[in-house]
Amino acid sequence: MKKFLFFALTCALFIACDKQDSATFNEKNDSAVSFKAFIKQTSRATETAFEDGDAISVFAVAPTAPTVSLEPSGNYADNVQYIYNGRSFDAGYNAITVSEKETVGLAYFAIYPYQSAASNKFTFNVKSDQSKYADYTASDLCTAYNEPTTENDVLLEFKHRLSCVAVKLYGENLVSKKISIKLNNVYTSCNVDINANTYTATGTTGSVIMGEQSNDTYQAIIAPQTVSSGKTFIFLTINGKETPLELAADVEFKSGKKVTYEIELEDDKVIGLNGFIDPWNTADDLLTTVVPEEILEKINDHMPLYNGINPPSVEGAYLLEPFATVYCEDYPVSGYEPGHVVNSKRILFSNQDASKNTLDYNSVTTSGSWEEGKGAFISGSGDNFTAFFNTEGESSDIYIKTALVISGTKTSSGIKDLYYAFVMVEKGDDPEEKLMDEGVFRVFKDEDGMSINCDWDWDYSNNATRSVAELAKSIYSNCAYFK
């Protein structure tokens, strides 16, 4: 199967059912549920479609309670195999059909690739040799769920459930060399729990041969797991000479994420190694995917974006003043011209998790606008970082939802060269058009080059009963920096 590395994969199939009180197995009728096969394109697409012969497992559940659960057996339809025919997934005369008795509709669970032993719980094994593309994609476990529906056309959104490892080589005349890369000390099996949406490594560790998926980039899929420091993780072999590479720190390979290692070579010797964590799934797994790739590329024209898996600790509160405009996509029709100073902003980074590279965020401006984001992703190395947030808040008393990107360099005095960009993802009723349009992005920076450390009077643990808006206004009114 060809699919996105960072994607919400949608597909379509012709579905029918296996209950006696609905249509029979052996004849098609108008009650069959159908799905048109297409891919919903998202950021950084490198692989775009299912291929002929790809097969998936489909389960249908008739809900009897608000929470839909997949049972080990006895569901409305159990593990029906659908095969892609170039246009759609089709199960032929075995397709699931919907009974008129199912007035609340059916919920659908789907698994790629097809698993004959699939159920609500099963064990999935990746291929130990993924040098062939077919074995690489056969290792890429994806699942989908669709809420109960009575519609005949149903959209399934698949997501990667394991972890992808990529190795990118840099050097001269690589094409003329015989190269192979193997991952070592990794789990290749995982226990899958569909209802709990968990994917837990199991069994014993082994090795996985990577496959070259693009020029000088090798990839493999492994079970979600943590590989400890000091263990040989990558075996790089060039013209028969093997170079073992150990991890300098523990690395957690998480469900739905991709870790890329860049290896610089000189005379076939490793002279540089760096690692990056990238999103491999949709926005509910990594908030970076809220920002479309084409917008990130535009943002990168106006501010730095730092990659890497070892960002600095940035916990604390910072004052952004003077806070000046760098670029407004909607200027001069709206927005501000470059250099225009806007309301000062006070931000708080908290609950940074060094192992998961996540971070919480809050902000308040001198005008009383506020934002809150949780579990965001932070990348970087050394003192440089970039954090990606999906925030909700209020501006001019209007609800807003934004995709936010903040970059800078951590120092003992605060954050140097802080840049702040956001995309208006959604806004509430705005009849007077006070706020920018949805889909528009703007970039700002702390103009004096230093966002100094400051106090933050907001104690979450003692203010659990107070709304974010109330707390933001309290901070604004009591903050000496804003007077």
Side-chain angles (χ1 to χ4, degrees):
M1 177 177 68
K2 293 179 181 177
K3 48 190 185 308
F4 299 122
L5 298 180
F6 314 94
F7 77 148
L9 175 64
T10 55
C11 72
L13 17 147
F14 292 101
I15 300 187
C17 102
D18 62 355
K19 292 295 184 182
Q20 295 299 319
D21 59 0
S22 60
T24 64
F25 265 122
N26 297 318
E27 56 184 58
K28 293 184 177 180
N29 56 66
D30 293 338
S31 62
V33 180
S34 65
F35 299 67
K36 296 297 181 184
F38 71 95
I39 304 295
K40 179 182 177 183
Q41 185 158 342
T42 58
S43 64
R44 305 185 190 182
T46 58
E47 300 163 329
T48 57
F50 282 101
E51 296 179 338
D52 287 1
D54 283 340
I56 61 176
S57 296
V58 178
F59 298 79
V61 176
T64 57
T67 301
V68 178
S69 295
L70 183 64
E71 299 299 326
S73 61
N75 298 288
Y76 191 89
D78 286 321
N79 203 10
V80 181
Q81 185 181 40
Y82 282 83
I83 300 175
Y84 190 66
N85 60 21
R87 300 178 308 278
S88 64
F89 284 88
D90 191 3
Y93 292 110
N94 289 329
I96 306 165
T97 56
V98 179
S99 167
E100 292 182 358
K101 297 179 182 179
E102 303 303 328
T103 57
V104 296
L106 297 174
Y108 298 97
F109 295 84
I111 300 165
Y112 173 86
Y114 172 78
Q115 302 292 298
S116 60
S119 182
N120 62 333
K121 296 180 180 180
F122 63 97
T123 299
F124 181 83
N125 302 301
V126 303
K127 302 290 186 181
S128 59
D129 185 348
Q130 298 179 27
S131 57
K132 295 181 179 178
Y133 184 74
D135 292 322
Y136 168 78
T137 60
S139 302
D140 188 8
L141 177 69
C142 300
T143 68
Y145 170 72
N146 194 86
E147 297 285 349
T149 178
T150 58
E151 297 294 325
N152 286 342
D153 295 316
V154 180
L155 188 67
L156 292 177
E157 181 180 296
F158 280 84
K159 298 177 184 177
H160 296 291
R161 295 308 186 187
L162 303 189
S163 182
C164 182
V165 182
V167 175
K168 172 67 175 177
L169 301 180
Y170 294 91
E172 295 182 355
N173 303 318
L174 294 179
V175 68
S176 65
K177 305 178 188 297
K178 185 177 181 180
I179 297 174
S180 65
I181 304 178
K182 180 174 65 176
L183 302 179
N184 198 39
N185 293 310
V186 293
Y187 288 97
T188 58
S189 299
C190 69
N191 290 327
V192 178
D193 188 326
I194 294 295
N195 292 319
N197 195 28
T198 57
Y199 309 86
T200 308
T202 188
T204 57
T205 59
S207 61
V208 173
I209 299 173
M210 307 184 77
E212 188 174 11
Q213 303 302 333
S214 59
N215 292 337
D216 303 324
T217 298
Y218 296 75
Q219 293 186 178
I221 295 168
I222 60 176
Q225 60 194 276
T226 297
V227 179
S228 301
S229 63
K231 288 190 174 182
T232 300
F233 178 59
I234 298 174
F235 279 101
L236 171 63
T237 302
I238 302 177
N239 292 335
K241 182 181 179 181
E242 187 176 81
T243 301
L245 299 173
E246 295 182 354
L247 292 178
D250 294 355
V251 178
E252 183 181 2
F253 297 91
K254 290 166 274 193
S255 171
K257 294 191 180 177
K258 176 183 178 183
V259 177
T260 299
Y261 290 93
E262 294 185 347
I263 299 177
E264 186 176 357
L265 302 170
E266 185 176 286
D267 297 328
D268 299 345
K269 295 181 180 179
V270 176
I271 62 172
L273 173 64
N274 204 354
F276 307 98
I277 298 178
D278 291 315
W280 197 32
N281 258 338
T282 51
D284 58 345
D285 297 301
L286 266 182
L287 300 173
T288 49
T289 54
V290 172
V291 185
E293 178 65 12
E294 61 272 17
I295 295 181
L296 274 179
E297 291 178 354
K298 292 178 182 178
I299 289 175
N300 200 17
D301 290 337
H302 305 283
M303 64 181 285
L305 298 177
Y306 300 110
N307 215 327
I309 60 175
N310 296 302
S313 173
V314 296
E315 284 194 343
Y318 308 93
L319 177 65
L320 282 54
E321 185 182 49
F323 198 37
T325 306
V326 174
Y327 176 81
C328 290
E329 187 183 29
D330 49 347
Y331 181 80
V333 176
S334 185
Y336 311 104
E337 64 179 344
H340 177 83
V341 175
V342 298
N343 293 318
S344 299
K345 183 181 291 286
R346 197 182 193 200
I347 65 174
L348 173 70
F349 294 135
S350 60
N351 298 321
Q352 185 169 351
D353 189 317
S355 63
K356 296 180 180 179
N357 281 349
T358 57
L359 184 70
D360 291 349
Y361 169 82
N362 287 88
S363 75
V364 60
T365 71
T366 52
S367 65
S369 298
W370 57 270
E371 294 173 303
E372 180 180 34
K374 290 186 177 296
F377 178 72
I378 181 170
S379 62
S381 60
D383 295 324
N384 299 323
F385 74 94
T386 298
F388 302 82
F389 302 96
N390 186 17
T391 73
E392 292 188 82
E394 188 176 280
S395 180
S396 299
D397 296 322
I398 300 170
Y399 166 81
I400 57 171
K401 181 177 181 181
T402 68
L404 176 62
V405 184
I406 299 176
S407 285
T409 302
K410 184 68 174 71
T411 74
S412 59
S413 302
I415 297 175
K416 180 182 177 182
D417 298 329
L418 185 145
Y419 282 81
Y420 173 106
F422 73 100
V423 182
M424 181 67 77
V425 175
E426 181 183 343
K427 65 176 179 176
D429 189 29
D430 185 14
E432 299 178 12
E433 298 185 354
K434 294 180 179 179
L435 305 182
M436 57 197 281
D437 291 337
E438 294 178 356
V440 171
F441 78 92
R442 296 176 179 175
V443 182
F444 302 87
K445 69 176 181 180
D446 193 318
E447 193 170 39
D448 64 9
M450 179 59 69
S451 300
I452 63 172
N453 301 320
C454 69
D455 294 329
W456 186 271
D457 303 323
W458 188 341
D459 185 346
Y460 294 97
S461 62
N462 295 327
N463 291 282
T465 61
R466 299 181 64 186
S467 71
V468 176
E470 289 174 331
L471 290 167
K473 291 176 181 178
S474 173
I475 293 169
Y476 163 61
S477 62
N478 291 309
C479 181
Y481 289 112
F482 291 160
K483 293 181 180 179

